[in-house]
Amino acid sequence: MSKPESSPAQDNVQITYEPDGTRVVTRTLHRAEGPPITITHRYPDALKHHYTPGAADEDVRLYSGGFLNGNGKYYTGNVSFTWRPSPRIQVAGTRELTADDYDDLFSDATTQTGIWSDIREVLVEQPDNLVPRQPDSISTTPKPSKTNYESIADRIVGEIGSSKADLDSLTFLIPNGWEAHDAAYICNPHNPAQYWSGRTTTGGDGWTVTFDRLQPMDAKAWTELRDSAGIRFTHVGHLARVDGSTFTSEQALQVLERIRIGLALALGRRTSCFLPVGYRNDKPVWALWQAYPVDPYTRVSSQWLDSQVASGQLADLLAKVLDFTAQEDRREALTHALAYYIPTNTGFDAALGVGLPISGLQLLSFFHFVTEGTISKRAWEAQNPNTEAEVRQLLTVMNVSTPVPGHFSNLAAVQARLNPQRDALGTIINMRNHIIHPVKGRPGRYTLQEWAEASILANYWLGLALLHLISYQGEIVATLGARVRHEGDERRSVPWAPPALGTTWSAGT
């Protein structure tokens, strides 16, 4: 090993390097009583993004200087990413008015018609054709010395660099991510003695993806984020090709969209890959300033992830999503089915929360048996006279039986009122038909609790069907148990797993 190198930050930390270049960090803790304690680790540096994120609901500085708006007019000002009232890229700037501006007031130029208005694009100054560095601060927009000036404050999008440029890596930020106590250890590159469990690595379809939890996201920060239903960046992501080859930003954005789909399935809510920056030879040559919808970080979240093993679960699921969505028709099917799943999972009217999952199950059943199966559309319609028959076929293939869970007493009360009685699927379909196909003289009057239990079970089946769609066979948590679930509770394999791994499943497990 090489000669120890003292850490400039702490005199009890030494850094050495092994022959293969591996860094070894040794920290010695002196105690009042007893011999010193030595801690040694070889953890890699945490990922670093071009833009340093802030605390919950805190804006992110992106740019300060001159820029051109969509009309080719030059302003001086600032560009920021802001969370409120919704995630967006915001520009503010000023410029002196010219004689042409006054002429425009009397021109015959037509105004935009229709109900849509485009989000404006801006072009910023790029020293050395690189993505501008993040400003240290955003100052008050300077006003020209003359009185005839114009100020703008607008929502914009911005692409820096060419979408055709070759990149060798890309980083991005993820808001409202996940807790994972089984993640690999990483350390602070500025102070390697500080380390934490934060890295998840996965990949698929020729791509490798790494997620690092930001150091400020400790247990207290997660609790505050959850209790406030807040929003903040929690992870840095890194994307590259497995073989090290280059790629364009257009290719990268397609993969980021597929990662977004996978995260939505894993987390049960909306998040995305924000502020991507592409690099070539470690230099930032491309960036995209654009915002996307994000759901608050609340207790209503994933049905599948357990924070004790979430890193492994997420890596497995995302790998399968990347492979599955390599085909466009598969990507569309998964996207459309998630559109039924996410709104119900994050909070929806209980009655409609029954209709949406059933429609999603119907979509996936058709996709499984007809689109990717061997049954023709005509034969499918002949075999299945109604929605219940279509959904039941899919649940049967998934090895999910459908009794009413014993602790779903309100759904059982609905079942008891039916003549003849039906299982959980038949009961839920009966309730769903009252709102999808209302019949005069037969109103569907159900309590909130009855709707809620029907919605919970139907959306649980839809979530299982989404996992079945991508051939996920890992563990999931037992979310439909009769008692309040805690992290680390019982986990089991999905119902379609081989008999050696799984057990007989019913609606209540």
Side-chain angles (χ1 to χ4, degrees), residues 113-413:
T113 61
I115 64 173
W116 299 101
S117 60
D118 295 331
I119 298 178
R120 300 180 185 276
E121 296 185 29
V122 297
L123 296 175
V124 301
E125 297 173 344
Q126 291 180 250
D128 302 320
N129 292 319
L130 300 178
V131 178
R133 62 181 293 272
Q134 184 178 23
D136 295 328
S137 62
I138 293 292
S139 58
T140 303
T141 304
K143 296 180 180 179
S145 56
K146 299 180 181 179
T147 57
N148 55 331
Y149 67 89
E150 176 190 24
S151 297
I152 64 166
D154 204 356
R155 180 180 180 180
I156 57 99
V157 296
E159 182 177 21
I160 303 173
S162 171
S163 59
K164 304 295 184 181
D166 287 334
L167 310 175
D168 50 46
S169 65
L170 182 141
T171 62
F172 52 92
L173 294 169
I174 296 176
N176 289 5
W178 59 92
E179 296 181 78
H181 303 308
D182 62 325
Y185 279 94
I186 50 180
C187 67
N188 184 338
H190 303 294
N191 183 6
Q194 298 177 352
Y195 58 90
W196 64 96
S197 172
R199 174 162 293 182
T200 296
T201 304
T202 186
D205 191 34
W207 297 89
T208 179
V209 187
T210 303
F211 303 102
D212 279 1
R213 175 173 61 85
L214 293 170
Q215 187 176 7
M217 292 308 303
D218 55 16
K220 180 180 179 182
W222 285 114
T223 300
E224 291 176 349
L225 186 62
R226 180 171 51 246
D227 291 347
S228 65
I231 187 169
R232 68 178 295 177
F233 289 120
T234 61
H235 291 76
V236 178
H238 179 275
L239 178 68
R241 296 290 293 175
V242 172
D243 60 7
S245 60
T246 60
F247 52 91
T248 66
S249 61
E250 290 180 326
Q251 294 172 312
L253 289 175
Q254 292 178 2
V255 179
L256 294 184
E257 171 62 14
R258 293 156 63 190
I259 293 173
R260 181 200 67 78
I261 294 171
L263 291 176
L265 175 56
L267 304 180
R269 47 184 167 79
R270 294 177 300 174
T271 186
S272 197
C273 305
F274 281 70
L275 302 177
V277 176
Y279 305 86
R280 185 170 58 245
N281 299 325
D282 295 325
K283 294 183 178 180
V285 296
W286 176 87
L288 179 65
W289 295 339
Q290 189 168 344
Y292 312 91
V294 179
D295 288 320
Y297 187 89
T298 65
R299 297 185 186 278
V300 179
S301 187
S302 174
Q303 299 189 54
W304 323 117
L305 295 186
D306 184 330
S307 64
Q308 303 299 317
V309 295
S311 181
Q313 289 177 301
L314 191 69
D316 188 6
L317 188 146
L318 280 174
K320 294 187 180 305
V321 167
L322 286 173
D323 286 335
F324 181 82
T325 56
Q327 296 180 223
E328 187 174 357
D329 59 337
R330 288 183 162 192
R331 182 163 64 250
E332 288 184 358
L334 181 55
T335 299
H336 295 325
L338 278 169
Y340 292 106
Y341 176 67
I342 298 299
T344 307
N345 198 50
T346 54
F348 218 73
D349 178 88
L352 197 53
V354 172
L356 289 180
I358 295 300
S359 294
L361 286 164
Q362 192 175 14
L363 181 158
L364 292 179
S365 185
F366 184 90
F367 185 81
H368 177 85
F369 291 104
V370 180
T371 305
E372 294 212 323
T374 58
I375 303 176
S376 69
K377 183 178 179 182
R378 177 176 296 181
W380 174 253
E381 293 172 347
Q383 292 175 17
N384 301 282
N386 52 44
T387 299
E388 181 178 344
E390 296 179 5
V391 173
R392 192 174 297 279
Q393 279 214 50
L394 180 62
L395 295 181
T396 300
V397 167
M398 292 164 51
N399 196 32
V400 175
S401 58
T402 55
V404 174
H407 56 291
F408 275 42
S409 58
N410 295 283
L411 186 60

Side-chain angles (χ1 to χ4, degrees), residues 405-436:
H407 56 291
F408 275 42
S409 58
N410 295 283
L411 186 60
V414 178
Q415 181 188 45
R417 297 199 297 266
L418 297 181
N419 186 18
Q421 286 195 8
R422 305 162 72 176
D423 65 358
L425 176 59
T427 302
I428 291 173
I429 290 290
N430 184 271
M431 298 173 67
R432 172 252 190 194
N433 287 343
H434 281 295
I435 58 174
I436 301 299

